[in-house]
Amino acid sequence: MYDEKIVLCGANSYEQKYYLNQEFGSLPEAVKNELQIMCVMFTEEIGGIIVLEYDEDGNLQIDVTSDEGDYLFDEIGCGLKVKQMQQDKRELFEALEMYYKVIYLGMEVEE
């Protein structure tokens, strides 16, 4: 088991960059594209930095931060957008969690 969080991907509105962890390069292109679009659109709309990361149990978490003094960062919209993403992308997130748990944590698939 890992003691720290493992980053799947993220986007940074300050540097206008997107990052996908190379360990997950074997994901299907459609999934990688969907993750990129989702993260980049989030930072374009809300601002700040969004990171999708796995905790030590293989649960996918969304972490959003902003620079101190960033008055353009939409704190209220951030919470709403994260909840919307969790609902709209629930199946994708569940599949990514299952992928991580099976491939990286060696867990058995539950039927």
Side-chain angles (χ1 to χ4, degrees):
M1 293 280 189
Y2 296 103
D3 291 335
E4 57 187 51
K5 296 179 179 182
I6 303 298
V7 172
L8 169 61
C9 63
N12 184 325
S13 68
Y14 306 114
E15 297 179 11
Q16 296 184 344
K17 291 190 178 185
Y18 171 76
Y19 168 78
L20 175 69
N21 188 335
Q22 293 302 314
E23 289 186 39
F24 300 100
S26 63
L27 286 170
E29 284 300 316
V31 172
K32 292 191 281 190
N33 290 338
E34 188 169 354
L35 288 170
Q36 182 175 5
I37 291 167
M38 179 180 61
C39 289
V40 171
M41 292 298 292
F42 181 93
T43 58
E44 286 291 318
E45 185 177 332
I46 304 298
I49 301 167
I50 184 170
V51 176
L52 275 64
E53 57 192 5
Y54 293 101
D55 66 13
E56 61 274 355
D57 296 322
N59 300 310
L60 192 60
Q61 300 175 337
I62 300 171
D63 183 34
V64 180
T65 57
S66 65
D67 286 348
E68 191 174 321
D70 180 359
Y71 301 110
L72 298 176
F73 180 74
D74 184 357
E75 288 188 45
I76 295 170
C78 175
L80 296 172
K81 189 71 171 173
V82 167
K83 286 183 196 283
Q84 179 188 11
M85 282 174 45
Q86 289 170 329
Q87 289 176 342
D88 294 349
K89 303 293 184 184
R90 185 174 59 94
E91 288 181 23
L92 172 65
F93 291 162
E94 288 174 355
L96 287 167
E97 285 179 352
M98 180 63 67
Y99 171 84
Y100 183 81
K101 288 175 182 179
V102 170
I103 301 298
Y104 292 92
L105 299 181
M107 295 180 161
E108 297 288 325
V109 177
E110 296 177 15
E111 302 271 343

